[in-house]
Amino acid sequence: MTNFYDINKNKELLVQQLEYTAKNSPFYKAQFAKNNINISQINSYREFRKIPITTKEDLQNYNEEFIAVKKDEIIDYVTTSGTLGNPVSFALNDADLERLAENERLSFEMVGVRKFSVVQLTTTLDRRFMAGMAYFLGLRKLGAGIVRTGSGLPGLQWESIERFKPDFLIAVPSFLLKMIDFAIENGIDYKNSSIKAAVCIGEPLRNPDFSLNSLGRKIKDLWDIELFSTYASTEVATAFTECNQHKANHSLSSLIFTEVLDEKQNPVKPGEIGELVVTPLQTQTMPLVRFATGDMVKFYGENCDCGRKSMRISTPVGRKKQMIKLKGTTLYPQQIINLLTDFETLKIFVIEASLNENQNDKLLIRIPNDFVEIDRLQEHLQSGLKIKIPLERTSVEKLEKLKFPKESRKPKIFHDNR
């Protein structure tokens, strides 16, 4: 099983990263000393696994100790969501920004973007987000045309498509549905626009069996463009991207060493689900070694039909801390969300997890007071999940407050009260 993690495939880059980190990162200097880690003795994956896992809590609690360059070298500051309530700071120097550009250049080439392509970027470059900047840098390095419309404003998106004739969109999948709704309401012939494909970010687009999930199918049924799934995060600073075979997301082996581990931190087999653990390569400002992302992904090994030999993973099936054990069945919120989204007459819902008197997980799905197809919905859910989950009628006003809390930047469909 560990042959998938043969460090000799990119040993030089991995060793360089470990040596750099051991020399320059205050956090890892202390960690390696505490755990008697000698970088010069790491010649196999067995030795590499002796390095302890780094968690998001580590990054939050010891944030400044991860910085491995002088402060005047830092060019860009970004933030990412934290596990302890506050955003986690992340910093990049010039070399990191160049690496970020190369990462996105390789990813865009994988989905078919070329120098002659025009790409409309519907993501923000401000608010301390890394993604929009990364896409811009990658497209600039590739030499493609860029239309920076930013997030929201469907009218501006369609006016820009008509004016500049882009081939590709970079967009959150649910925003594509808003663009479609706007086009239909305003008589825009969107099906015959210049757009041929969308690189989808921020939301799962496919099921672990490669099929489009309910959100992906809704988009595809309304707008027959090619949809590419991606996965990335600020800490990972590297994209996992679908090729044109649409059979999971490829890693970029020159930029990241990827592991998928079970609850005992052993590598999972192809076809199994585990936590994504990464060691980004060629990073300088805040290097991470064996960083546990908290994202649960399905592992597919190597050997895609496209001919690439890189590791492949699914988009996240859920967060590790959101895993639910219910009557002997392991569930993730996204599985339930997919089934509920697939039920077209259900317009709004919220899922709540809590503990019962025996400290075991329990679930509740809140649905609108006036929803009339409860029996059919229950049958639909039970067929997909193999267990029965209680449904509770709730006022639409309360559902909207739960789904769109004032303190959150994103809709909150799953509430974990455990």
Side-chain angles (χ1 to χ4, degrees), residues 265-279:
Q265 297 184 4
N266 294 316
V268 303
K269 298 176 182 177
E272 293 181 345
I273 291 173
E275 183 178 12
L276 180 66
V277 175
V278 297
T279 303

Side-chain angles (χ1 to χ4, degrees), residues 391-403:
L391 304 175
E392 184 170 305
R393 293 185 184 277
T394 305
S395 70
V396 172
E397 182 182 12
K398 182 176 180 178
L399 283 172
E400 287 180 344
K401 286 182 178 179
L402 287 168
K403 186 174 179 179

Side-chain angles (χ1 to χ4, degrees), residues 239-345:
F240 293 73
T241 307
E242 271 188 348
C243 65
N244 59 11
Q245 298 297 307
H246 301 289
K247 292 183 177 180
N249 298 354
H250 287 269
S251 67
L252 298 173
S253 56
S254 63
L255 296 178
I256 198 162
F257 185 83
T258 305
E259 304 171 77
V260 183
L261 308 180
D262 65 18
E263 291 181 1
K264 296 181 179 179
Q265 297 184 4
N266 294 316
V268 303
K269 298 176 182 177
E272 293 181 345
I273 291 173
E275 183 178 12
L276 180 66
V277 175
V278 297
T279 303
L281 306 176
Q282 304 184 54
T283 59
Q284 292 187 7
T285 306
M286 295 183 74
L288 297 174
V289 178
R290 303 201 78 205
F291 176 73
T293 64
D295 289 321
M296 305 299 290
V297 299
K298 192 169 183 178
F299 176 59
Y300 298 101
E302 303 166 339
N303 302 330
C304 178
D305 290 344
C306 72
R308 293 179 178 86
K309 303 295 183 183
S310 55
M311 292 269 236
R312 292 178 298 132
I313 61 168
S314 70
T315 48
V317 299
R319 299 282 298 161
K320 183 178 181 180
K321 291 189 175 181
Q322 291 181 346
M323 183 172 68
I324 302 156
K325 294 279 191 179
L326 202 65
K327 300 177 182 178
T329 300
T330 298
L331 296 174
Y332 292 95
Q334 192 60 45
Q335 294 171 266
I336 307 169
I337 291 169
N338 286 345
L339 286 166
L340 292 169
T341 303
D342 210 23
F343 207 86
E344 293 191 2
T345 57

